[in-house]
């Protein structure tokens, strides 16, 4: 047995099948037939000299030797992928994952950064997910959001305030009276954000008879800009809209939710060319 005879093309089939313990799902992920996956695993088992799976009527189980092999082989395979991935990527290309709710704040920052540092290119992926698992996701950095987010560097804390298109406000009525007739735009499928803000002023008891619910805060803000109703939004996310007059704040008070936006970087990548400059620039212009 020599290094040259190691069937490297069978390793991914073993790892994917070990994760699913189901040949049908493994074949689908690998874009192979079940028979092809089975043959690859058989080739690996023949080379190893022992079985890595036990076949049962209800599916597959790792053998004792398969269980022992899996973690080290998984780690070695991930290291191989990381090495080849870094070799193929330009040092100035930064893969960034961010939740869609942060786009109103983030996109202008990226534009400003790329103008000031044209050698840095941000490849942005948006998601409705608020977390990041660098072990399983191919990103150099990510913006995460949540009430329990503690990792990474703080960008800003979520602070809620109502915002509305000025065209919806009548000069002859107070902001409190306006709440009784306006459509409430909710950034989630429940009324948590509005309820939290209203709790800060017990004198306000709007009927909330008309409501529209959105999947993200960004969608609710966009609807408010178009005059659909009054939205509850994060102060930082709508700062530019307020400055440009696209929205106004009918009430002065705001409330912190305990959630925050944070910048996280893949461990070991902090000194990658361009990434440190990106982090510093993003923090400086936030």
């Amino acid at each position: 047995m020599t290094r040259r005879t190691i069937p490297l093309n069978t390793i991914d089939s073993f790892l994917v099948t070990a994760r699913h313990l189901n040949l049908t799902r493994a074949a689908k992920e690998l874009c192979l037939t079940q028979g092809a996956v089975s043959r690859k695993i058989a080739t690996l088992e023949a080379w190893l000299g022992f079985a890595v799976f036990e076949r049962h009527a209800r599916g597959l189980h790792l053998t004792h030797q398969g269980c022992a092999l899996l973690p080290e082989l998984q780690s070695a395979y991930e290291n191989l992928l990381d090495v080849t991935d870094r070799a193929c990527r330009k040092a100035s290309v930064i893969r960034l994952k961010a939740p869609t709710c942060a786009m109103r704040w983030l996109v202008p920052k990226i534009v400003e950064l790329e103008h000031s540092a044209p050698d840095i290119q941000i490849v942005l992926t948006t998601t409705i997910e608020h977390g990041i698992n660098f072990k399983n996701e191919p990103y150099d950095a990510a913006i995460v959001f949540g009430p329990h987010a503690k990792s990474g560097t703080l960008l800003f804390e979520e602070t809620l305030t109502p915002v509305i298109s000025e065209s919806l406000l009548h000069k002859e009525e107070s902001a409190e009276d306006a709440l009784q007739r306006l459509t409430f735009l909710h950034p989630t499928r429940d009324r948590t954000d509005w309820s939290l803000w209203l709790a800060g002023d017990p004198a306000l008891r709007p009927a909330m008879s008309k409501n529209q619910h959105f999947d993200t805060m960004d969608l609710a803000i966009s609807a408010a800009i178009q005059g659909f109703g009054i939205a509850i939004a994060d102060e930082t996310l709508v700062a530019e809209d307020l400055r440009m007059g696209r929205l106004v704040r009918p009430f002065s008070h705001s409330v912190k939710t305990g959630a925050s936006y944070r910048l996280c970087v893949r461990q070991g990548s902090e000194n990658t060319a361009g990434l440190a400059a990106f982090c510093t620039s993003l923090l400086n212009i936030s």
Side-chain angles (χ1 to χ4, degrees):
M1 183 170 64
T2 67
R3 288 182 180 271
R4 288 181 299 175
T5 64
I6 297 175
L8 294 175
N9 65 340
T10 66
I11 294 175
D12 59 339
S13 293
F14 167 62
L15 296 176
V16 173
T17 304
R19 185 168 69 251
H20 292 293
L21 292 177
N22 182 286
L23 281 174
T24 301
R25 289 197 292 270
K28 183 177 180 180
E29 179 174 333
L30 292 165
C31 297
L32 297 172
T33 65
Q34 291 186 46
V37 176
S38 294
R39 288 191 292 274
K40 283 178 177 286
I41 292 172
T43 298
L44 178 63
E45 289 177 328
W47 185 85
L48 291 170
F50 58 81
V52 293
F53 291 108
E54 293 176 346
R55 281 73 174 174
H56 295 275
R58 295 185 177 180
L60 300 176
H61 296 285
L62 283 164
T63 64
H64 177 74
Q65 289 168 302
C67 284
L69 177 66
L70 179 61
E72 291 193 28
L73 192 56
Q74 178 73 60
S75 177
Y77 191 70
E78 288 176 357
N79 286 338
L80 177 62
L81 292 178
D82 286 342
V83 168
T84 55
D85 185 56
R86 287 195 297 271
C88 292
R89 286 190 291 115
K90 294 181 180 179
S92 59
V93 175
I94 298 168
R95 301 166 301 173
L96 175 66
K97 178 181 179 181
T100 55
C101 55
M103 288 303 101
R104 308 189 75 83
W105 171 85
L106 179 62
V107 170
K109 311 305 183 199
I110 293 177
V111 172
E112 183 177 341
L113 174 60
E114 292 192 340
H115 283 166
S116 61
D119 58 321
I120 296 177
Q121 178 188 355
I122 310 299
V123 178
L124 177 63
T125 298
T126 60
T127 176
I128 59 173
E129 298 174 358
H130 291 159
I132 182 71
N133 184 343
F134 283 121
K135 184 176 181 180
N136 298 324
E137 299 183 67
Y139 300 104
D140 303 303
I143 292 176
V144 299
F145 168 77
H148 305 296
K150 299 298 181 184
S151 59
T153 304
L154 176 66
L155 292 172
F156 57 91
E157 296 178 298
E158 184 179 51
T159 306
L160 298 178
T161 190
V163 291
I164 190 173
S165 169
E166 192 170 16
S167 64
L168 288 184
L169 294 176
H170 299 164
K171 293 182 179 180
E172 66 275 9
E173 69 177 349
S174 66
E176 290 81 0
D177 290 338
L179 284 183
Q180 302 303 324
R181 63 174 176 80
L182 291 169
T183 297
F184 285 77
L185 308 180
H186 301 272
T188 60
R189 290 295 172 179
D190 56 30
R191 303 183 179 184
T192 302
D193 288 351
W194 265 112
S195 298
L196 184 62
W197 182 83
L198 288 168
D201 190 341
L204 293 175
R205 289 290 184 271
M208 297 183 76
S209 57
K210 293 186 290 185
N211 299 272
Q212 290 291 337
H213 301 267
F214 297 88
D215 290 327
T216 68
M217 183 173 288
D218 185 63
L219 291 175
I221 294 170
S222 296
I225 291 174
Q226 297 177 65
F228 196 16
I230 184 167
I232 188 78
D234 178 80
E235 288 181 337
T236 302
L237 297 183
V238 295
E240 183 64 12
D241 296 309
L242 293 170
R243 189 183 72 83
M244 296 296 294
R246 291 187 288 264
L247 293 169
V248 295
R249 291 180 59 174
F251 299 93
S252 60
H253 78 274
S254 57
V255 60
K256 289 189 176 181
T257 67
S260 61
Y261 291 82
R262 307 181 75 89
L263 175 64
C264 297
V265 177
R266 179 186 291 276
Q267 187 176 6
S269 299
E270 296 88 344
N271 297 320
T272 301
L275 187 55
F278 159 73
C279 295
T280 299
S281 299
L282 188 63
L283 294 172
N284 286 342
I285 61 181
S286 63

